[in-house]
Amino acid sequence: MNEFANYFEYCVEAKIEGKLKLKRTLLILAYILFPIVFFSVLCKLKLYVLGCFIVLFTAIIWFFTWRYVQIEYEYTVVKGEMTFTKIFGRKSRREFYKARMQDMSVIAPYTDEYKTRADAAEKKVYAVSSMSSPDIYVGILKDEKTKETTAIFFEATSKLVKLAKFYNSSATVECASLRY
């Protein structure tokens, strides 16, 4: 088959809920409290002139921290290897998990039968916009070195399921209700 036909790339943006919502709220609170605390310390030390740098320091703090609460997950499949990457603020990216589709014992929708198997895994890797998304698939694999079971949660598309069927047809369960 053509090398480009076996290539897949997909990106989902994390919804602002749960821990991510808490982190965003705490950062906004820090952006508000930092100038107040900084200015009060300057007033206490009678260094009023340095107060003009408050906006600059707050902008620098915002620039370096806000990206960590703007998260996207990217899935890439190249030659049967699935790579999961976190993208922070559409600027920096960090690869956080890699798995071969041939090594997965199950690639199925995160529903009834497969939900219990996925929840029983020792290690869980999340790469979904939200756990309430209708397109969540789970890939379950066992690490040969540590003997621990890993469940990888991702949002599937019809092309990704076709590629999974191509690389590991015995473990892949197709779902007709995928949105994309």
Side-chain angles (χ1 to χ4, degrees), residues 15 19 41 52-53 65 73 89 94 122 138 143 168 180:
K15 288 186 181 173
K19 286 183 183 179
V41 168
C52 63
F53 293 109
T65 58
Y73 296 102
R94 187 175 307 143
E122 291 96 25
V138 63
D143 190 3
N168 193 347
Y180 306 106

Side-chain angles (χ1 to χ4, degrees), residues 126-162:
Y126 296 97
V128 293
S129 63
S130 171
M131 284 306 285
S132 61
S133 174
D135 298 331
I136 296 179
Y137 257 63
V138 63
I140 300 173
L141 63 126
K142 190 167 202 156
D143 190 3
E144 296 299 323
K145 297 174 189 168
T146 62
K147 302 292 184 203
E148 76 177 354
T149 308
T150 304
I152 309 163
F153 298 92
F154 56 93
E155 291 185 37
T157 65
S158 57
K159 184 174 180 182
L160 179 59
V161 173
K162 285 179 188 174

